[in-house]
Amino acid sequence: MRSSDECVPAPGALINASNGSDAAVNIFSRMSRLATKHGAINLAQGFPDFACDGALIECAAAALRGENNQYAPVAGLPSLRAAIAEKILSEMDVHVDPDQEITVTAGAAQAIFTAIGCMLCPGDEVLILEPAYDSYIPAILAKGGVPRIVTLKAPDFRINWDEVEHAVTPRTRVLIINSPNNPSGRVLNLTEINALALIAEKHDLLIISDEVYEHIVFDGKQHHSFLQHAKLRSRSFVVFSFGKTLHVTGWKIGYCVAPPAYTRKLQALHQYAIFSVNAPLQAGIAAYLGCHRGAWSLSDLFLPKRDRLRAGLVENGFTLCETQGTYFQLAEFSNVRNDLTDFEFADWLTISGGVACIPLSSFYSGMDNGKYVRFCFAKKDETIDIALSRLRRL
C-alpha cells in the first residue's frame, strides 16, 4: 500500500491510448469508446440515458428565443446566481451572497480546476483521499503542485484521520474532499466532517469540497454540506453541478460557492480561462429553478435503480460494497473471473460480456486496489435489465 506521505508523479487515471501512441486518454473516454465499438451497454461513464424534465427544455428553448444569446457576466447571470442563493437557503438554511460568493462555471470539473489554479503556487502540496475523481491530480500538476495521497481501501473505505493529519506537511496548502464520494459511494457523517475541520483549522488548510452528488443519498444517510459548517465554510470552495442534479451532464454548468475574497481570486482566473458560461442555458436553468424549486427528489429516483442493479449483480456472482450515495455501485468480481486484474476484467466484460464498467484502480495513483469495478445505475430500468441479462449469459 502506498504510504500517505508519498508524492505522486503522475495521475493514475491517465492511461496510454490503446493504439500505442503517446497520447493519453482518460479511463471514462476509453471505456465509452470501447463500449461503442463493441455494442456494449455503457454502465461505465456517469451519465443518465433518460430524458431530463421537459419543463427544463422549454425554459431553455424560451431563453434561446429571447435576449440571452450574448456573453453572460463573468460571475454568471444575476438571475441564476439569485436562484442558486435561494436554493441554498431553502435546502440548507444558509445565506449566501449571490453577488460576492457565487460563480457559475462550465461544469464542476472546471470549478475545481480553477479553484486549484487560483490558490496554488508551484511546489505547494494538495492532500487527496483516494479513490478520487480523475480530474484532481491533473489540475494540481498543471499548476506545478504536488499531490499527497491518503489511501482508503475497499470495501469500506474507512478514513483514518490520524493518517490524514500525518500526511500534512508545512508545504500542504489544500485538501480536496468529495462527499457523496465517486466512486466509493461513501457519505461523510458529521463526526468525520468535524474531524476534518479540526485538521483544516490546525494546519490552516484551504478546502475544495466536491458536492456534485449532494441530492443522491440513501438508507437514511444525510448529506452535510461544508456550507453548513461555519469553520469549514470560511476556508472552502464548495462545488456543485446542475448536470448531475438536473440530468443534463452535456450542458456542463455547475457553480462554486466561496467566501468573497476567494471568489474574487477564482473569478480573476475564471475570466481568462473561459470568460463566461453558456448564457441561454443559464437563463433556462434560472427560469426552471424559479418554477420548480425543490421539485427534484433524486434519492427516490435512484434508490430503486440502485437496488435493481445490486440484486442482479449479486445474482451473477458479484460481491457488493455499500452504496450510501451517488449513482455508482462498486462490485468485487473475483467469483466471476479471479484470473484478471480490474483493468483486464473491465475490458473483458465490455468486449465479451457486452457491459462496460470502470476499474477501481483508475481512481488511484498508479495503484492496484484489488478486483473491483464501478457500475453506473443512472440508467433506464430497461437498460439495467438488458445489462443484467447479458451478465447472466456469462
Side-chain angles (χ1 to χ4, degrees):
M1 185 176 79
R2 183 185 298 276
S3 67
S4 63
D5 59 352
E6 187 174 351
C7 297
V8 181
L14 294 178
I15 57 177
N16 288 332
S18 58
N19 63 8
S21 71
D22 291 334
V25 56
N26 95 356
I27 188 66
F28 308 105
S29 297
R30 180 183 182 277
M31 296 311 299
S32 289
R33 291 177 190 174
L34 198 64
T36 299
K37 179 179 179 180
H38 294 277
I41 300 295
N42 190 349
L43 302 188
Q45 198 164 9
F47 64 89
D49 70 344
F50 49 84
C52 66
D53 188 347
L56 175 60
I57 299 298
E58 292 304 315
C59 288
L64 282 165
R65 290 190 293 266
E67 299 180 355
N68 298 286
N69 292 297
Q70 306 307 323
Y71 292 123
V74 169
L77 290 180
S79 59
L80 181 54
R81 286 183 280 122
I84 290 169
E86 178 57 33
K87 174 182 181 294
I88 291 170
L89 178 61
S90 63
E91 293 175 357
M92 304 180 191
D93 195 26
V94 172
H95 290 269
V96 171
D97 187 332
D99 296 321
Q100 298 191 66
E101 296 185 291
I102 296 174
T103 308
V104 179
T105 61
Q110 185 253 312
I112 293 167
F113 196 99
T114 307
I116 290 170
C118 75
M119 302 304 290
L120 214 61
C121 294
D124 285 346
E125 297 171 353
V126 181
L127 190 60
I128 300 174
L129 278 59
E130 289 187 339
Y133 188 61
D134 75 331
S135 72
Y136 300 162
I137 289 178
I140 296 164
L141 297 176
K143 186 63 176 178
V146 179
R148 295 183 69 85
I149 305 303
V150 171
T151 301
L152 311 180
K153 297 286 288 183
D156 60 357
F157 304 97
R158 184 181 64 85
I159 301 172
N160 183 324
W161 293 104
D162 290 335
E163 185 178 358
V164 172
E165 183 165 18
H166 178 71
V168 177
T169 79
R171 295 291 299 174
T172 308
R173 178 158 175 77
V174 179
L175 186 152
I176 302 178
I177 196 79
N178 173 213
S179 177
N181 180 265
N182 172 21
S184 74
R186 283 200 75 237
V187 178
L188 291 180
N189 59 42
L190 278 177
T191 299
E192 293 175 305
I193 292 173
N194 287 332
L196 186 154
L198 289 174
I199 294 170
E201 187 173 32
K202 178 179 178 180
H203 298 280
D204 195 23
L205 301 179
L206 296 170
I207 303 294
I208 298 175
S209 181
D210 181 348
E211 302 183 12
V212 300
Y213 297 100
E214 57 171 330
H215 293 295
I216 310 175
V217 291
F218 308 116
D219 304 330
K221 302 296 182 183
Q222 184 178 352
H223 170 64
H224 300 282
S225 175
F226 282 26
L227 293 178
Q228 297 169 294
H229 196 293
K231 291 183 178 180
L232 287 172
R233 179 183 173 185
S234 66
R235 62 177 65 248
S236 295
F237 297 83
V238 187
V239 177
F240 304 92
S241 168
F242 283 122
K244 299 295 190 294
T245 300
L246 300 176
H247 317 306
V248 287
T249 59
W251 290 17
K252 291 300 294 179
I253 297 182
Y255 55 100
C256 181
V257 181
Y262 296 168
T263 295
R264 288 192 294 272
K265 287 181 175 290
L266 182 84
Q267 291 176 7
L269 181 57
H270 171 81
Q271 67 179 329
Y272 294 113
I274 62 167
F275 185 70
S276 65
V277 176
N278 188 305
L281 293 185
Q282 286 194 59
I285 292 174
Y288 180 79
L289 293 180
C291 299
H292 299 80
R293 187 173 298 122
W296 51 79
S297 182
L298 301 191
S299 298
D300 292 341
L301 170 66
F302 286 115
L303 179 60
K305 296 179 182 297
R306 183 201 70 170
D307 292 347
R308 191 183 203 95
L309 178 65
R310 285 175 65 89
L313 290 174
V314 169
E315 177 186 338
N316 286 283
F318 291 88
T319 302
L320 305 182
C321 296
E322 183 182 9
T323 298
Q324 301 173 347
T326 77
Y327 46 53
F328 301 111
Q329 175 64 56
L330 285 180
E332 203 265 358
F333 60 82
S334 60
N335 291 330
V336 181
R337 285 290 301 266
N338 197 37
D339 58 326
L340 303 177
T341 67
D342 59 350
F343 278 94
E344 293 168 342
F345 181 85
D347 282 355
W348 172 77
L349 194 65
T350 304
I351 297 168
S352 300
V355 179
C357 59
I358 299 291
L360 177 59
S361 291
S362 61
F363 296 91
Y364 289 86
S365 301
M367 172 185 164
D368 178 5
N369 196 46
K371 299 181 183 298
Y372 292 87
V373 290
R374 191 201 75 175
F375 296 96
C376 174
F377 53 83
K379 310 296 177 183
K380 292 179 286 191
D381 289 350
E382 51 264 41
T383 302
I384 296 173
D385 290 343
I386 293 170
L388 293 175
S389 70
R390 293 184 178 187
L391 293 180
R392 292 186 192 100
R393 293 202 300 268
L394 292 173

